[in-house]
Amino acid sequence: MTKEELFSISITESDSKILEQSKARWDNIAKPIDGLGSFEEIICRIAAVQGNVIPAIYRKAHIIMCADNGIFEEGVSQTSQKVTCDVAELMGQRKSSVGMMAEGYPIDMFVYDIGINSETTPEGVINAKVRKGTENFLKKPAMEETECLAAIKTGIDAVKACKEKGYHIISTGEMGIANTTTSTALLCALKGLAPKEFTGKGAGLTDSGLKNKIQIIEKGISLYRGERSDQEITSKGGVFEIVRSLGGLDIAGLTGVFIGGAIYHIPIVIDGVISAVAAMVADRLVPGCRDYMLASHMGREQGMKVVLEELSLKPVIHADLALGEGTGAILLFPMLDMAMSLYRSGTSFGDTDIDQYERFDK
């Protein structure tokens, strides 16, 4: 895939007629108007994405992108890069946090080695290695143009494969030491924000470690943006350049997943700040992708609110989550299953003696 091919991708809008029919179905169920709040909206949006008033969500896939980040060299994490490979190995065995949380639940996991800094790929993990970790972005751009494009295409192809296998909905996860640094750098560069206001402690930095992390992000943004550091990046070319300069292979891969969801009409669930930034990048590179995204939770990182506001998405879980791996994203699924049970089989007003509630906000 070339940049020109990426930038020329056109997204079909989700079905607005199906959306309205889905809302009407909710209103016909014997309950107060909007009684299930955001869950009603989410089901309606899934229906519009699938083009079916009664959507299917029982075949679920979880895509995890694993990669190392060269900026690790600057002391922005308390752990070694070896942890990325170790956790990916556990993911392949479904023994990591997300695997154990989903034990006994009907969801299939697809773990991708898109850039782990190792010679081999752990068993049970899909070998899609673009390179063994990115460059240290203070020394040179994190990725070559071809590498960034390859990572994005890997994400698109992952969704295509899920579509061909009959999956209805996909959640996103990641694993990569120092990826809260790369994602925060991208967020601040894209939005023209001050890193000191949006940089968190990640997996547990000290106060001095946080100060160093902020300085590293500021240096990186200054290196590639110069006097324009406080200006938002809006052009597709500018967005792509900052992603390849400051981003990670995991973020680029997830960007492709969100683009793929829009291409193949599969709703994609955002997890925490890393996947949220990837979602924002996807929508800026390929406008219209946001119609195919669902927000799961309001993560602990400060940037979550900024990203979800830009994408006009409302998370339904507020639990101060910061685990990663897509653990917050998969928590959404059991709740959606319950909401779908009511939506699919709920008693209608026509089957009772109860007067139907009237909607006054049309």
Side-chain angles (χ1 to χ4, degrees):
M1 182 172 63
T2 65
K3 278 200 303 184
E4 291 71 25
E5 290 171 335
L6 173 63
F7 296 165
S8 67
I9 294 173
S10 179
I11 301 302
T12 304
E13 291 185 3
S14 57
D15 196 323
S16 59
K17 291 183 179 179
I18 294 292
L19 183 73
E20 292 305 315
Q21 292 172 21
S22 181
K23 289 180 180 178
R25 183 180 179 87
W26 272 121
D27 290 353
N28 191 47
I29 294 173
K31 61 168 186 58
I33 295 290
D34 296 330
L36 276 188
S38 296
F39 290 100
E40 294 192 23
E41 179 184 348
I42 292 173
I43 297 300
C44 290
R45 293 186 66 238
I46 294 173
V49 165
Q50 294 186 0
N52 192 335
V53 176
I54 303 179
I57 62 169
Y58 54 89
R59 291 212 65 196
K60 304 173 179 72
H62 186 56
I63 294 177
I64 305 173
M65 293 289 175
C66 303
D68 280 301
N69 299 280
I71 198 61
F72 160 82
E73 296 174 357
E74 303 299 327
V76 294
S77 174
Q78 67 164 294
T79 57
S80 70
Q81 280 193 329
K82 183 176 181 295
V83 173
T84 303
C85 190
D86 290 344
V87 174
E89 183 175 7
L90 290 174
M91 287 176 174
Q93 301 168 0
R94 290 195 66 151
K95 291 182 179 179
S96 71
S97 297
V98 72
M100 297 309 297
M101 285 173 62
E103 186 175 12
Y105 186 76
I107 182 170
D108 294 324
M109 296 195 181
F110 301 94
V111 185
Y112 284 77
D113 170 5
I114 197 168
I116 300 174
N117 188 14
S118 65
E119 294 296 331
T120 60
T121 294
E123 186 176 349
V125 176
I126 298 167
N127 186 356
K129 199 189 297 283
V130 174
R131 57 174 290 169
K132 294 184 292 183
T134 56
E135 298 284 353
N136 178 339
F137 63 60
L138 291 190
K139 297 178 179 178
K140 62 189 300 186
M143 294 170 272
E144 298 290 342
E145 179 178 303
T146 53
E147 293 167 344
C148 189
L149 287 167
I152 292 172
K153 188 175 187 301
T154 296
I156 294 173
D157 289 346
V159 176
K160 180 182 180 182
C162 285
K163 178 74 171 184
E164 291 172 347
K165 294 174 183 176
Y167 289 98
H168 304 124
I169 190 168
I170 297 171
S171 52
T172 55
E174 41 61 39
M175 178 59 209
I177 297 303
N179 62 8
T180 59
T181 298
T182 54
S183 57
T184 303
L186 277 179
L187 169 65
C188 292
L190 288 167
K191 298 287 288 185
L193 302 172
K196 65 181 179 181
E197 297 179 13
F198 293 93
T199 304
K201 292 185 176 181
L205 290 174
T206 62
D207 289 342
S208 61
L210 175 60
K211 183 178 180 181
N212 174 64
K213 183 177 177 181
I214 292 170
Q215 291 173 343
I216 295 303
I217 293 173
E218 289 173 340
K219 289 179 183 177
I221 294 173
S222 178
L223 181 62
Y224 297 102
R225 294 291 291 160
E227 295 180 355
R228 299 172 297 165
S229 294
D230 61 349
Q231 298 176 20
E232 189 163 357
I233 304 173
T234 56
S235 70
K236 292 182 179 182
V239 171
F240 180 84
E241 277 303 303
I242 206 65
V243 171
R244 84 169 188 90
S245 298
L246 294 175
L249 290 159
D250 51 352
I251 294 174
L254 288 176
T255 294
V257 171
F258 288 109
I259 294 171
I263 293 173
Y264 298 108
H265 288 227
I266 298 181
I268 310 292
V269 181
I270 298 170
D271 183 42
V273 71
I274 293 104
S275 69
V277 168
M280 182 174 71
V281 169
D283 193 64
R284 290 193 176 198
L285 290 176
V286 183
C289 287
R290 68 178 64 185
D291 287 350
Y292 296 83
M293 302 173 186
L294 305 174
S296 58
H297 71 101
M298 180 60 75
R300 187 179 304 166
E301 296 284 331
Q302 294 298 310
M304 283 295 295
K305 184 177 181 181
V306 174
V307 176
L308 295 181
E309 283 181 352
E310 172 169 323
L311 296 173
S312 299
L313 296 174
K314 296 187 296 183
V316 295
I317 302 170
H318 296 258
D320 197 35
L321 302 177
L323 178 54
E325 301 184 26
T327 49
I330 68 166
L331 281 174
L332 178 66
F333 285 148
M335 293 186 284
L336 286 185
D337 288 339
M338 293 179 184
M340 271 301 301
S341 293
L342 177 59
Y343 179 77
R344 186 186 303 110
S345 307
T347 301
S348 69
F349 282 105
D351 293 329
T352 72
D353 293 328
I354 303 171
D355 292 334
Q356 183 167 350
Y357 289 95
E358 185 175 351
R359 180 179 288 277
F360 295 109
D361 60 353
K362 291 182 179 180

